[in-house]
Amino acid sequence: MGPRWKGKGSEAKALAEPMSKIVSELRLCLSRSNSKGLLSGSSVLIEASVEQTQLLNHACFGRSIVTAEKDKEWIQLGLDEAFYLCNFLKCLKIVGGDGCVKTDVELWHYSILKMEAFPELYKAYSHLRTKNWVVRSGSQYGVDYVAYRHHPALVHSEYAVLVLPDGNDDATGRLQVWSDFHCTIRLCGSVAKTLLVLHVRKNGSGTDSQMCLENYDIEEHTITRWNPQQSREDVAADTQS
């Protein structure tokens, strides 16, 4: 299943302005302004300028928050997005409730406290982001993420992403029985997405700091529904004749 572009000229726009270029512009803008984000529960809030808001939206980081303050723009980031900007792109500083800037290690432990599966989810998120995929929440489809080839205004999401950590063999694990596969694949097919399963292997590393991510591996598997109509003998016979 290939990309489904939204309207005439969308593919040309995406090719003319690749996501890697947009993210580089965002990185430069945030670094130049010494931008800071404020920890707020399981998210990070940024008071952004007009330029920063445009670039964050263009690069698909966070979402705008409507407030009564007409002269201010607020962007809400997820913890995975904030950690990517802070730790990988190194263009955002995160401030805690005490007004002090969090170190990468402090932000790492904070994120794990808020989300136990954060190490695996962030590894998957950064894995896709570094390949220039746009990654957004997939909760509305019952998956962890959805992945776009470019901005959602130009193209529909191509993959529904499930992140499976080590030890996904317990009773609460996902995709443990065929009925799980069947339901998930049917759902993905009904919304024209391919199921992408990312198996995160820790390889014996713990979660003491973000440095453990270097030892994590990811196995990618795309899973599609078998179509019996395409596998009938008469179809094969017609093809040969």
Side-chain angles (χ1 to χ4, degrees), residues 108 112 115-123 163-168 198-209 211-219:
W108 172 260
I112 293 176
M115 191 187 310
E116 186 178 355
F118 179 79
E120 292 87 359
L121 289 171
Y122 175 73
K123 179 65 178 181
V163 181
L164 300 185
D166 277 343
N168 188 55
L198 299 182
H199 288 268
V200 181
R201 310 296 186 191
K202 292 184 178 180
N203 298 318
S205 296
T207 58
D208 292 338
S209 78
M211 300 302 294
C212 67
L213 293 169
E214 297 179 4
N215 297 321
Y216 288 12
D217 290 328
I218 285 187
E219 294 180 6

Side-chain angles (χ1 to χ4, degrees), residues 6 17 19 25 33 50 70 94 100-101 110 124 128 130 140 154-155 167 174 179 197 202 204 213 215 225:
K6 295 182 178 180
E17 194 172 15
M19 188 53 61
E25 292 175 354
S33 59
V50 174
K70 296 182 180 180
I94 309 298
C100 297
V101 174
Y110 177 91
L128 294 173
T130 53
Q140 62 181 323
L154 299 179
V155 66
R174 294 181 292 184
S179 58
V197 177
K202 292 184 178 180
L213 293 169
N215 297 321
R225 187 183 178 195

Side-chain angles (χ1 to χ4, degrees), residues 37-222:
L38 177 64
L39 275 175
S40 177
S42 296
S43 60
V44 173
L45 302 177
I46 301 178
E47 184 181 345
S49 66
V50 174
E51 180 186 14
Q52 290 170 343
T53 299
Q54 291 176 342
L55 284 171
L56 284 164
N57 288 334
H58 205 185
C60 297
F61 282 96
R63 62 182 184 88
S64 298
I65 298 177
V66 178
T67 67
E69 302 173 280
K70 296 182 180 180
D71 58 335
K72 292 183 179 180
E73 292 278 355
W74 288 91
I75 303 293
Q76 183 181 46
L77 300 172
L79 290 175
D80 44 9
E81 297 174 310
F83 198 81
Y84 187 80
L85 292 171
C86 175
N87 178 257
F88 186 80
L89 294 182
K90 300 189 182 303
C91 61
L92 182 68
K93 295 179 181 178
I94 309 298
V95 178
D98 56 0
C100 297
V101 174
K102 295 286 187 182
T103 65
D104 287 351
V105 174
E106 289 173 336
L107 182 59
W108 172 260
H109 286 295
Y110 177 91
S111 300
I112 293 176
L113 284 174
K114 293 296 181 180
M115 191 187 310
E116 186 178 355
F118 179 79
E120 292 87 359
L121 289 171
Y122 175 73
K123 179 65 178 181
Y125 176 89
S126 60
H127 174 77
L128 294 173
R129 266 290 184 178
T130 53
K131 292 186 174 185
N132 295 313
W133 287 92
V134 169
V135 187
R136 307 297 273 176
S137 171
S139 57
Q140 62 181 323
Y141 301 113
V143 293
D144 295 305
Y145 297 112
V146 286
Y148 298 79
R149 193 170 291 263
H150 205 278
H151 195 283
L154 299 179
V155 66
H156 293 279
S157 57
E158 203 163 326
Y159 292 102
V161 184
L162 273 179
V163 181
L164 300 185
D166 277 343
N168 188 55
D169 54 356
D170 56 31
T172 61
R174 294 181 292 184
L175 303 186
Q176 292 300 300
V177 294
W178 281 113
S179 58
D180 291 345
F181 279 97
H182 184 66
C183 292
T184 305
I185 293 171
R186 281 187 65 92
L187 174 60
C188 291
S190 68
V191 291
K193 304 185 194 319
T194 299
L195 177 62
L196 173 62
V197 177
L198 299 182
H199 288 268
V200 181
R201 310 296 186 191
K202 292 184 178 180
N203 298 318
S205 296
T207 58
D208 292 338
S209 78
Q210 76 282 1
M211 300 302 294
C212 67
L213 293 169
E214 297 179 4
N215 297 321
Y216 288 12
D217 290 328
I218 285 187
E219 294 180 6
E220 299 179 355
H221 301 277
T222 55

